[in-house]
Amino acid sequence: RVELAHAAVCLLAGRSGVELLVVKGPGMDPLVAFEGRASADVDVLVRPDQVEQFLQVTRRHGWNARDRFETGSPFGHSTTLFHPTWGDLDVHRLIPGIGVTPGDAFAVLWGSRVQVTLAGHPCPHPAAAAQALVLVLHAARSEGSARAARDVAHAWFQAPADRQADIL
């Protein structure tokens, strides 16, 4: 179901002209995600000036908001949608901790994207170093989480120096 949900979201975005990146989940580079890392939802970063367009598209296709950006996190960075078939979809408009504007950050991440096939459909993902950056930044606000600690151990501490330089 999770891979099909990713494919459905990427298909909707592509058909509506929305640029988004899958920032976590089953398409992550194995050098970034530890073996056995599971995902129960879809996490996407949407080009900031297309967020409202994407939310309208998802609503028309049966996704309902569980919260709002203003209430979904202390950073106002994401909102969660729910679909009775596909489950949860976390729509990010920015990645907390990146020190440039959301539009500039998206442009950099989009410019080095890779395509990963999930459930037979191509889904754009950030390059491996950017995936690691997202995991490490997420872990920084997930104090005490065993999963976050494993993410950092695998994506950062087990990475060779040249990969750490790319992440930085």
Side-chain angles (χ1 to χ4, degrees), residues 28 41 47 49 51 71 110:
M28 290 180 66
D41 64 357
R47 180 176 293 285
D49 62 355
V51 169
T71 61
W110 182 257

Side-chain angles (χ1 to χ4, degrees), residues 31-119:
L31 295 174
V32 175
F34 60 82
E35 188 174 339
R37 186 183 198 281
S39 181
D41 64 357
V42 179
D43 282 274
V44 296
L45 175 65
V46 178
R47 180 176 293 285
D49 62 355
Q50 295 181 323
V51 169
E52 189 53 43
Q53 177 186 351
F54 183 64
L55 294 175
Q56 290 174 12
V57 168
T58 56
R59 276 193 291 271
R60 287 195 305 269
H61 287 87
W63 299 85
N64 295 300
R66 287 191 186 264
D67 57 27
R68 300 184 331 257
F69 286 107
E70 298 76 20
T71 61
S73 81
F75 306 101
H77 74 287
S78 68
T79 185
T80 301
L81 311 178
F82 176 77
H83 190 282
T85 301
W86 306 122
D88 284 338
L89 165 61
D90 290 337
V91 178
H92 299 253
R93 60 184 177 181
L94 61 95
I95 302 294
I98 293 181
V100 297
T101 69
D104 289 345
F106 187 90
V108 169
L109 297 174
W110 182 257
S112 62
R113 71 190 177 281
V114 296
Q115 293 289 342
V116 177
T117 300
L118 296 171

Side-chain angles (χ1 to χ4, degrees), residues 127-158:
Q131 291 177 29
L133 174 64
V134 169
L135 281 186
V136 170
L137 289 173
H138 184 265
R141 58 183 198 275
S142 303
E143 185 177 349
S145 162
R147 180 177 173 164
R150 286 190 73 191
D151 283 341
V152 172
H154 187 77
W156 177 257
F157 289 113
Q158 293 177 13

